Every structure is written in structure tokens, then in C-alpha cells.
Amino acid sequence: MRKLLWVLFAAGMLSGCKKEEAPAPARQAAGTEAGEGSREAPTEAPEVLDDSKPYALTQAKLDAYVGYQRQVLDAYAAMARELQAAKARLTAGTLDAQGRPVGMTESMKAIESKAESEAKARREAGLSEEDVNRIGSLITDVITQRHMAAMLDLAGELKRLEEMQARLKPEQQKELEPQIEVMRQRVEETEKLVSVRKVHGDANVDLVLTREQDLMRNYQDMLKSFGGKAQ
């Protein structure tokens, strides 16, 4: 299934479809390894992932994941360049010796190369597939919420609303108070990552925040690689 996602991505690149802003790099963007299972050594048994059990992140695994994620981003960028070049050749109608469109053949090679790079980066980082998936899920939830909070500037909106309330008559202030209270709760929940902590636990979230700057940079670079707009 993961490999199919990349095939579809390549097809979209080659067809010249308009790029949409990247979704919060969903689990795959945060580090899921596309097509990796097919590239592992035949003697390596596939891992059985059980995300029903709590996952305890460590500083060592977090640091390893940040480096792994950086390498994966480089693989994404390389693949994107190769797909764009393949798209140009496909548009030109160039055929290989077997009469197949050169662009499509090269796009598949680019995807395979990206998958191999991901698998190699994971092994070098000393991370298991479960590590990559569980840490990626955690980081995605934390960083996307922090990114959205910064984009929406909820705290700034609350401050402006409170300033407006202060200029109103007492009865008007009272009418506006329920809306302001809702905004206060929303700001608090967003800044403290309340919903994320319920899913992943305080210790895991607090640990991720120690590398927030690096992870946010990686996140924004990922958005750029998919044609999205980083903030």
C-alpha cells in the first residue's frame, strides 16, 4: 500500500496536476518508509506493529529520528527533482528501446531509489520500523499542532478580542464574554497540546518539544518539497 501511494504521487507529478498544499505531513511525511518492506533482506522477518501499547520515547531515539528524518527529506527532494525531469521527457514523447515512455520508467526508478534511501537511513539510525512509525506519529501530532497554532495566532486573536471587549459598554461586554471564554479555552488547549498529550502522554510530548526547532524546520522543508507554503 505504501509503495502504491508513491506510484500515485509520481503519476500526479508526471500528469502535470496542480500541486495542492501539503497536508500536515501526515504519518508518511513525518517518516513512514514508502515501499520499504519490499527492499529489506529476504531473511528479515517483517515487524508486527502494535500501537495499542504505550510507546516510551527516549532522548537517544528522538535524536536518532531527527537525523533519520533529515536524510529522508533529502531523499524526497532528490526524488522530486528526478520526477520533474522525467515529466519533461515524458512530455517530449521520448521512448526507450522497448518503446516505453522514458519519463514513466525513470519515475518508477526514482521512487524505488527513494524507498531504498529511507530503508538505509533507518538502519543507519538504529531504528526499527515500529520506532519510525510510532515516533513519526507522535512528532507529526505535536509539530502540526504547533505549526497551526502559530499560523492561526490564536493568542493574538484572543488579545484583540479582549481589547475590543474593554472598549464596549458593560452590557455589551457581558454578551461578548462567552465567546471570549471559548477562545481562552481553545488557546490554552492548543498551547498546552492537551489533545496530543491525551494520546501520547506528557513525557513523550515534553521530550519532543526539546527538539521542536529542528523538527519544525524539517516539517517546513517537507511542506516545501510537496509544493506547500511554509510559514
Side-chain angles (χ1 to χ4, degrees):
M1 176 60 74
R2 295 174 186 169
K3 187 172 182 179
L4 176 59
L5 292 175
W6 284 107
V7 173
L8 294 176
F9 172 70
M13 291 281 290
L14 292 170
S15 64
C17 294
K18 182 180 180 181
K19 292 181 181 178
E20 298 179 358
E21 183 160 341
R27 316 295 190 221
Q28 186 177 2
T32 301
E33 299 177 46
E36 178 184 322
S38 64
R39 313 305 303 178
E40 293 289 350
T43 57
E44 183 177 342
E47 295 181 32
V48 178
L49 306 181
D50 182 6
D51 55 9
S52 65
K53 297 179 181 179
Y55 182 85
L57 182 64
T58 65
Q59 187 69 59
K61 285 191 175 182
L62 175 61
D63 293 342
Y65 185 89
V66 174
Y68 158 82
Q69 191 180 54
R70 192 70 248 171
Q71 286 186 263
V72 169
L73 284 170
D74 292 340
Y76 276 125
M79 183 186 69
R81 290 192 297 270
E82 291 174 15
L83 288 175
Q84 288 291 353
K87 175 185 173 182
R89 283 188 283 273
L90 182 63
T91 302
T94 306
L95 302 178
D96 62 16
Q98 286 73 40
R100 297 171 300 186
V102 171
M104 184 59 71
T105 301
E106 293 178 349
S107 69
M108 296 306 299
K109 290 180 179 179
I111 294 170
E112 291 296 329
S113 176
K114 180 264 178 191
E116 291 170 2
S117 296
E118 278 194 350
K120 182 175 181 289
R122 177 182 65 78
R123 291 192 295 269
E124 290 178 349
L127 298 171
S128 67
E129 287 189 53
E130 180 177 15
D131 289 329
V132 165
N133 281 277
R134 298 296 292 274
I135 298 173
S137 173
L138 165 61
I139 287 176
T140 295
D141 289 347
V142 172
I143 298 303
T144 53
Q145 185 155 324
R146 298 289 277 191
H147 182 253
M148 290 302 298
M151 287 182 62
L152 296 174
D153 188 22
L154 296 179
E157 289 296 326
L158 174 60
K159 182 179 180 181
R160 286 186 283 274
L161 198 58
E162 290 174 333
E163 290 173 348
M164 182 183 72
Q165 182 190 38
R167 295 192 295 269
L168 299 175
K169 296 178 180 180
E171 60 271 18
Q172 293 174 318
Q173 291 180 3
K174 186 175 181 181
E175 292 177 0
L176 189 59
E177 184 57 34
Q179 299 177 39
I180 293 180
E181 183 58 31
V182 170
M183 178 67 78
R184 285 197 191 102
Q185 293 177 4
R186 187 179 179 190
V187 169
E188 182 177 5
E189 290 177 356
T190 301
E191 291 184 345
K192 294 184 178 180
L193 299 168
V194 174
S195 61
V196 179
R197 290 176 183 275
K198 288 180 180 178
V199 174
H200 298 286
D202 290 334
N204 283 347
V205 172
D206 289 339
L207 190 52
V208 167
L209 291 175
T210 66
R211 298 296 305 269
E212 180 178 6
Q213 185 174 355
D214 295 322
L215 292 167
M216 187 63 75
R217 184 184 304 112
N218 287 351
Y219 176 83
Q220 292 180 336
D221 287 346
M222 177 62 71
L223 286 180
K224 293 175 184 177
S225 73
F226 279 98
K229 183 179 180 180
Q231 298 292 326

